[in-house]
Amino acid sequence: MNIDFGLDPVFSWYVVLLCISGIVMVVLGAINKGEQSSGSRALGVLAGVAFLAYGIYLGFIFDGGSYMMFFQAFILPALLVVNFVRSVVAKPTPPQPYAAEPTEPTQPYPGQPPAGPSQPSQLN
């Protein structure tokens, strides 16, 4: 196992956070809540599996040399969490019926008589 916080804490934290990011992305993609499309969820799951696999590779199989640090592994999960929360919280608005001509006269300003057909006054 390559995770040794005393020897190389940056590498060790990177591996741990990479695995956590991958797990979060897979879980968010597996939950079918909100208005997320299936394509968006599938993309999140694929990226999560890739991050988790790379974290497992670095933590258990990697035997030294050079490795690549993907900072997207920390930005992408945050964006997916924000998108997930926004899609769950967003309430779909019902369609508004088409409003035709108003049936009652309206008063454009307080204190003015209603705008409508005027009644002729009858003189006796």
Side-chain angles (χ1 to χ4, degrees):
M1 178 145 90
N2 296 328
I3 300 174
D4 184 6
F5 290 98
L7 182 63
D8 192 1
V10 173
F11 176 78
S12 299
W13 277 114
Y14 178 67
V15 170
V16 169
L17 292 176
L18 194 64
C19 291
I20 290 172
S21 295
I23 291 170
V24 167
M25 291 174 67
V26 168
V27 168
L28 287 179
I31 297 174
N32 190 11
K33 289 240 182 209
E35 299 292 322
Q36 287 185 316
S37 68
S38 59
S40 172
R41 289 180 26 233
L43 182 66
V45 168
L46 287 176
V49 168
F51 289 165
L52 184 60
Y54 189 55
I56 290 171
Y57 167 75
L58 288 178
F60 297 102
I61 300 170
F62 182 68
D63 57 355
S66 64
Y67 60 93
M68 296 181 64
M69 282 190 127
F70 296 105
F71 292 103
Q72 295 89 346
F74 311 117
I75 296 169
L76 188 59
L79 293 176
L80 288 176
V81 167
V82 168
N83 188 27
F84 177 78
V85 169
R86 187 174 44 184
S87 70
V88 169
V89 172
K91 297 177 185 174
T93 58
Q96 299 293 327
Y98 175 70
E101 294 295 320
T103 57
E104 296 180 12
T106 59
Q107 284 184 318
Y109 301 104
Q112 289 188 344
S118 61
Q119 301 287 333
S121 62
Q122 295 179 353
L123 297 175
N124 290 343

